[in-house]
Amino acid sequence: MKVTMIGAGYVGLVSGACFADFGHEVVCVDHDPAKLEALNSGRIPIYEPGLDALVASNAKQGRLIFSGDLASAVASADVVFIAVGTPSRRGDGYADLSYVEQAAREIARSMDGFTVVVTKSTVPVGTGDEVERIIQAENPEADFAVVSNPEFLREGSAIDDFKRPDRIVIGTTDERARKVMQEIYRPLFLNAAPVLFTERRTAELTKYAGNAFLAMKVTFINEIADLCERVGANVQDVARGIGMDGRIGPKFLHAGPGYGGSCFPKDTLALVKTAQDAESPVRLIETTVAINDQRKRAMARKVVRACGGSVRGKTIGVLGLTFKQNTDDMREAPSLNIIQALQDNGATIQAYDPEGMDQAAQLLDNVAFCKTAYETAKDAHALVIVTEWDAFRSLDLERLRETMASPILVDLRNIYNPTQVEAAGFTYESIGRGSNGWMIDAASEAAE
Ligand code: UGA
């Protein structure tokens, strides 16, 4: 099949490379000449494990082409995927659909023969109808069908998620489009990946409902973690205990500094807006958004408390800046709020991240970027783990302690064992693993 992907961002690039790897002929179209130049000379503008090799091998075999010429890429395509950004609209939280609408207009002008137009970008319910309307208005003769096919891949494991999906959701009631989509995903049908064919609006909402549910699940365990700290319980055991219940499931129950990234924050907000407009508010998600915003700032207060109540004049080392490991993405990363709050409280920040420092440098002021975790610990009054990179999981604690001004470790991802860290001479704070909660304090006070 001839596939054209509009947008060579995260979703477009990964999906395009994977479709090419399935044997389809793929053209990835992007407006950004610098990005095209980079891709055509084998440089991948984002960090995603395995993507460089996948792009290189498919480009070499001529199945994956990067181009700025949308018109001819669309004219020759059986399927055109719209994979452009839908960022939060500044000020109001609605998804900004201007790139999607622009793509629809450009596609309409260049279509030749029956063409399936697929929205892969995350778009609010009803956007497919709007894309259809735009194409019809722009080119009344066009023979086409608009399909919703949301993407569920995660940054950091995007290729595996694409090639071994939990499910594929395809929203269309057009029989010709259904056949084309079946052909596109045939390699996955053969692997018995579950496919849900449904109506277009349902597919669009499924994407938002999925991300909102996961954001809520993370936020739930984060609140339980706070409670654990207060009552002297262990959130990891609680998560294990509830996760073994098949109705709950063990995933997305790692307590941490709050969710970030390019999807959960923007998609939860957009769903809230859609639901308010439809006069059917999603109050659980409204609350999830508010709790998560507060949580990022609360993490800075946790560091201040660990430092004895003040960080003024102190140096804080920050390990991990990206919103999660295995990505260079800094969008809505908790590190941004935490560092800003610590600086507002008078701290000096030195930080290290294996992949995110270039992007972080554009978003953070007055941060000294270090080359290693050990350099980050040097002369620091406290070391804070914000992102759970594998490289931080077995640091030489002795070596860290010797270089630090005071041995305080705040682990916002629970990647260390409290007993071991304390045995190495550290004061250790983590998430939801309270042993000095108020109940225990109250019990010992009563015993005195
Ligand atoms: C998320 C979804 O997981 C994907 O299915 C979806 O396709 C994607 O958004 C999207 O809409 O494009 P992603 O943003 O890459 O993927 O990241 P996740 O792995 O879902 O993590 C999101 C945030 O939740 C991160 O800040 C992460 O640290 C946090 N998180 C996740 C936790 O704090 N605890 C967990 O147990 C899981």
Side-chain angles (χ1 to χ4, degrees), residues 152-155 207 211 252-254 260 263 324 413:
F152 298 102
L153 56 82
R154 286 164 302 171
E155 295 186 12
K207 168 69 189 186
N211 271 1
F252 276 68
L253 286 178
H254 296 291
C263 304
K324 63 172 186 177
R413 297 285 186 169

Side-chain angles (χ1 to χ4, degrees), residues 75 190 226 271:
L190 296 177
D226 289 349
L271 181 64

Side-chain angles (χ1 to χ4, degrees), residues 154-156 218 236 252 254-260 318-327 329 333-335 352-354 384-395 410-416:
R154 286 164 302 171
E155 295 186 12
V218 169
Q236 284 177 301
F252 276 68
H254 296 291
Y259 62 77
V318 174
L319 292 182
L321 296 166
T322 52
F323 81 96
K324 63 172 186 177
Q325 68 163 340
N326 289 334
T327 177
D329 200 335
S335 65
Y352 168 68
D353 188 282
V384 186
I385 298 171
V386 182
T387 315
E388 71 283 26
W389 285 94
D390 281 348
F392 301 152
R393 287 175 196 267
S394 42
L395 295 169
V410 183
D411 175 3
L412 301 181
R413 297 285 186 169
N414 288 352
I415 59 178
Y416 279 91

Side-chain angles (χ1 to χ4, degrees), residues 259 285-295 297:
Y259 62 77
I285 307 307
E286 289 175 13
T287 307
T288 297
V289 170
I291 295 170
N292 194 63
D293 283 349
Q294 287 157 13
R295 183 167 191 82
R297 287 190 291 276

Side-chain angles (χ1 to χ4, degrees), residues 38 43 283 298 417:
R43 280 176 281 121
R283 290 194 299 271
N417 175 321

Side-chain angles (χ1 to χ4, degrees), residues 86-98 101 266 269-270 277:
T86 53
S88 272
R89 210 161 62 186
R90 202 175 285 252
D92 65 9
Y94 282 96
D96 177 354
L97 294 177
S98 53
E101 291 160 0
K266 114 181 135 60
L269 266 187
D277 287 352

